Amino acid sequence: MSAKVIQVLDKTGFGMFVPLVRLITWDEPAQQLKEMGKTYGLPILGITVFVLVWGLIAPRIQTSIGALPGPGEVWSAAKSLYAEHQAEKLREKEYYQQQALRKAKWEARFPEKPFPFQPYAGKPTYPNYILTSLYTVFTGFVIGASLAIPLGIICGMSKAIYIALNPLIQTFKPVSPLAWLPIATLVISAMMSGPNPPVEKSFLISAVVVALCSLWPTLINTALGVASIEKDHLNVARVLRLSPWKTVTKIVIPSSLPLIFTGLRLSLGVGWMVLIAAEMLAQNPGLGKFVWDMFQNGSSQTLAMILVAVITIGLIGFALDRIMVTLQKLFSYSGSVAAQ
Amino acid sequence: MSYIYLENVQKSFAGQPVLKDVCLSIEKGEFVAIVGFSGTGKSTLLNLMAGLVMPDEGKVLFDQREVTGPGPERGVVFQNYSLLPWMSVYENVRLGVDAVFREWGDEERDRHTRKYIEMVNLTPALRKRPSELSGGMRQRVSVARALAMNPQTLLMDEPLGALDALTRSTLQDEIGEIWQKEKKTVVLITNDVDEGILLADRVIPLLPGENGATLHEGVRIDLERPRDRKQINHNPRFQELRKRIFQILREIGKSTTPAEDQDRDRGLPRIDPVHQRLSLSDRIRRFRNAHVIATEN
């Protein structure tokens, strides 16, 4: 039982929990405690030292709106954001309760007319910003990947196409999201001139910029993965007389899957980094806009709020990367080749 | 009328001549073994018959038609098994069955796939991946995959080269039995003369030369079948044939060896270890495993 759990943890990139499982099953507990001291103790020590140094240095750095906030201030800012969210949720609940009462009255008086339902229009709170950001980055990532993977497969299969496209790839790859943004804004605004756009313009602009900046690692790694298929495996396809479609789906894609996932993982990292800048400028109501709004209103809480956002952005980026590692390990036939 | 026919085939790679004036004629149902030194172009010869490589000059005919590419009528067993590591034993065999028997229903293909896995005694490992199998088991899967496509000819490129002696002899017996049962035309590339004599109707030495290797006319193995590996060693005819083939190989070994080396017995075919080719990730994992074991001890 525990052996199976450990195997699953190892295969899904959660090897760090193995000593804990083994301790619970009392498998060489002394050894496990030592191991846990290393895998958990050292990171905790690192974080503690960081927080202490931060707390010491921050008050000494003066800005026009006060000193840099220390860990305590940031923590209370995070708590106030949470409290705000709770209060907003309460208001929303009260609003719908009120509306339900009005609806009952309305139906009693005008049974033939439908009730004019009004959704709650409160201001977005911190979790809403996070969800918007996640939704935007995911959309951009999917757009990017759905272009990059087929294109990468084509580049990997045909050396001529790869040579033809390589200068373009190398030219567009290092372009900053800030350079793409005005172009994306103008093009998308021109395309969505109608009065009732199906999606928010700012959302689409941010997602497209994320896609444009994040598709390159996937494209390059997919091409590399496809180009480095073992020749024997392609000979098998030839001898078995597989159709081109079957060759791609049964041999080319499975054998390049580890590198495709490496590319996707890098792309998601780039996409998440680019997203914040894109949201700031496009005014998409995600974490980027949150940071920008805080910067603009310049209250005594500003810096603490921005630091909460910084830490949130970092933690989410970390989580996204772990998810990609897990997916990579689950979908690849052999262990991960990618650097951690 | 010969079934597989090579006429004055020449092949070179990057200006380096590999095969020269190769002529070969194989009858339907015949079991031919081609023996020779490592690196003399045995695999190239097989790839020519498989259609994976085209000759620079000369003709390769199969059943009186020119070979222009690989085909399902010529099953290939590769030197390094070439199983797809992301597929189970069943899926590896089934892949070929699906490609060849397109008009069959799912149930029929399934039955057919299982039949050939059973033939190589791998039914218990049906759902295992190649990485969980031993070298001998992998080669059996490779044989099953080739046979399940129901080819008229089986082309085998040093199929047992990477195996230990014990597994090797077991698989030799299995190949012999399968040939008896299926009556396919078989071309076996090997560097083991005894293996060739034990299994084949004809052993043809491949003789290296300065302008590329050529084929000897061959030695007919007129031993009774079924041949028992234990008894055959004491058979005077076997010893005679063995001596003759070695002599052919040794002659050519002498003629291509510098004069001062002539006394040393370098004429025997050298058996180089043929390591299984590993992918990058497998190499990394193997390295890691080795490292972990070393630190634990």
Side-chain angles (χ1 to χ4, degrees), chain A residues 44-55:
Chain A
I44 291 171
L45 185 72
I47 293 166
T48 314
V49 170
F50 169 75
V51 169
L52 285 176
V53 172
W54 172 19

Side-chain angles (χ1 to χ4, degrees), chain A residues 116-129:
Chain A
F117 180 80
Q118 286 292 326
Y120 182 67
K123 61 177 175 152
T125 56
Y126 197 61
N128 299 124
Y129 286 106

Side-chain angles (χ1 to χ4, degrees), chain A residues 11 22 229-243 246-247 249-259 329-340, chain B residues 47 50-54 69-76 78 80-87 92 95-96 98-100 102 129 145 149 277-282 284-285 288:
Chain A
K11 276 197 176 158
R22 291 179 68 177
I229 294 178
E230 281 191 45
K231 206 164 172 286
D232 294 327
H233 291 162
L234 287 179
N235 274 345
V236 169
R238 289 178 65 196
V239 168
L240 299 189
R241 272 285 196 57
L242 299 185
S243 63
K246 273 220 156 166
T247 306
T249 55
K250 295 277 179 185
I251 296 189
V252 172
I253 292 180
S255 101
S256 40
L257 215 51
L259 271 170
K329 290 204 170 185
L330 283 178
F331 285 105
S332 303
Y333 60 96
S334 58
S336 102
V337 190
Q340 291 291 309
Chain B
N47 286 342
L52 289 167
V53 167
M54 291 297 129
E73 72 283 355
R74 280 161 289 138
V76 182
F78 292 97
N80 44 15
Y81 324 137
S82 289
L83 299 176
L84 303 174
W86 50 87
M87 289 185 181
N92 264 292
L95 187 67
D98 282 343
V100 176
R102 287 166 207 260
R129 299 262 172 109
R145 179 175 67 186
M149 293 169 71
R277 263 174 237 166
L278 295 169
S279 66
L280 177 63
S281 53
D282 280 334
I284 290 172
R285 197 161 25 166
R288 280 195 192 137

Side-chain angles (χ1 to χ4, degrees), chain B residues 162-181:
Chain B
L163 303 176
D164 61 275
L166 208 64
T167 317
R168 200 174 167 131
S169 61
T170 317
L171 270 175
Q172 280 168 0
D173 292 345
E174 279 183 23
I175 289 174
E177 274 169 38
I178 288 168
W179 180 76
Q180 293 271 346
K181 214 177 337 178

Side-chain angles (χ1 to χ4, degrees), chain A residues 163-176:
Chain A
I163 292 170
L165 291 183
N166 194 36
L168 296 172
I169 295 171
Q170 300 303 337
T171 308
F172 289 127
K173 188 171 63 128
V175 173
S176 154

Side-chain angles (χ1 to χ4, degrees), chain B residues 2-287:
Chain B
S2 52
Y3 199 52
I4 300 174
Y5 184 71
L6 276 74
E7 191 184 85
N8 295 323
V9 168
Q10 314 240 10
K11 182 73 199 171
S12 44
F13 285 111
Q16 196 70 31
V18 178
L19 296 174
K20 184 195 139 203
D21 289 336
V22 169
C23 296
L24 176 65
S25 166
I26 297 170
E27 299 300 317
K28 192 164 188 170
E30 202 179 4
F31 193 134
V32 171
I34 293 168
V35 297
F37 296 85
S38 298
T40 44
K42 296 193 300 271
S43 292
T44 306
L45 185 60
L46 190 105
N47 286 342
L48 281 162
M49 291 184 235
L52 289 167
V53 167
M54 291 297 129
D56 297 339
E57 268 171 62
K59 268 192 285 188
V60 180
L61 299 183
F62 178 80
D63 203 8
Q64 294 163 58
R65 275 193 309 270
E66 187 146 359
V67 169
T68 53
E73 72 283 355
R74 280 161 289 138
V76 182
V77 177
F78 292 97
Q79 190 170 7
N80 44 15
Y81 324 137
S82 289
L83 299 176
L84 303 174
W86 50 87
M87 289 185 181
S88 66
V89 168
Y90 177 85
E91 287 166 327
N92 264 292
V93 178
R94 176 75 187 249
L95 187 67
V97 173
D98 282 343
V100 176
F101 302 105
R102 287 166 207 260
E103 69 284 4
W104 286 8
D106 186 63
E107 208 175 303
E108 207 172 355
R109 291 182 194 180
D110 179 69
R111 205 173 329 117
H112 189 76
T113 306
R114 284 170 194 275
K115 179 180 142 195
Y116 281 91
I117 293 171
E118 178 62 35
M119 184 185 275
V120 295
N121 305 318
L122 275 179
T123 302
L126 205 66
R127 297 279 159 217
K128 287 204 167 131
R129 299 262 172 109
S131 58
E132 299 169 89
L133 304 177
S134 68
M137 288 162 97
R138 288 182 202 186
Q139 195 53 282
R140 288 201 184 104
V141 182
S142 185
V143 170
R145 179 175 67 186
L147 284 173
M149 293 169 71
N150 205 14
Q152 288 143 25
T153 306
L154 201 56
L155 305 170
M156 297 196 278
D157 185 6
E158 293 196 44
L160 312 177
L163 303 176
D164 61 275
L166 208 64
T167 317
R168 200 174 167 131
S169 61
T170 317
L171 270 175
Q172 280 168 0
D173 292 345
E174 279 183 23
I175 289 174
E177 274 169 38
I178 288 168
W179 180 76
Q180 293 271 346
K181 214 177 337 178
E182 299 260 312
K183 286 289 170 205
K184 309 264 183 219
T185 311
V186 175
V187 180
L188 171 75
I189 302 276
T190 180
N191 51 24
D192 181 345
V193 173
D194 291 3
E195 183 174 291
I197 301 173
L198 182 72
L199 292 169
D201 296 320
R202 201 147 48 108
V203 172
I204 306 175
L206 186 69
L207 309 172
E210 255 168 58
N211 301 318
T214 48
L215 280 178
H216 185 266
E217 62 197 34
V219 177
R220 190 155 292 284
I221 309 299
D222 44 11
L223 295 166
E224 284 279 307
R225 284 183 194 269
R227 298 169 188 160
D228 187 295
R229 70 169 57 252
K230 280 169 228 135
Q231 284 159 21
I232 209 166
N233 271 317
H234 309 293
N235 185 329
R237 180 71 188 141
F238 170 82
Q239 284 158 4
E240 204 179 304
L241 287 165
R242 191 168 185 269
K243 208 169 138 192
R244 231 177 95 203
I245 294 165
F246 273 115
Q247 220 157 29
I248 296 164
L249 287 164
R250 192 172 284 133
E251 278 305 309
I252 206 77
K254 270 181 188 157
S255 67
T256 56
T257 320
E260 63 265 30
D261 277 345
Q262 284 229 347
D263 295 337
R264 284 168 56 192
D265 191 9
R266 299 227 321 191
L268 293 175
R270 228 178 50 237
I271 298 172
D272 285 347
V274 182
H275 294 296
Q276 179 208 347
R277 263 174 237 166
L278 295 169
S279 66
L280 177 63
S281 53
D282 280 334
R283 281 204 295 265
I284 290 172
R285 197 161 25 166
R286 188 165 282 200
F287 172 77

Side-chain angles (χ1 to χ4, degrees), chain A residues 169-244:
Chain A
I169 295 171
Q170 300 303 337
T171 308
F172 289 127
K173 188 171 63 128
V175 173
S176 154
L178 304 180
W180 285 120
L181 204 98
I183 301 172
T185 308
L186 290 172
V187 171
I188 289 168
S189 301
M191 278 161 57
M192 293 174 48
S193 48
N196 278 318
V199 288
E200 283 296 321
K201 234 187 276 180
S202 61
F203 161 76
L204 196 61
I205 293 165
S206 306
V208 166
V209 170
V210 166
L212 279 175
C213 293
S214 73
L215 65 85
W216 311 108
T218 305
L219 175 51
I220 292 167
N221 276 284
T222 305
L224 181 68
V226 171
S228 55
I229 294 178
E230 281 191 45
K231 206 164 172 286
D232 294 327
H233 291 162
L234 287 179
N235 274 345
V236 169
R238 289 178 65 196
V239 168
L240 299 189
R241 272 285 196 57
L242 299 185
S243 63

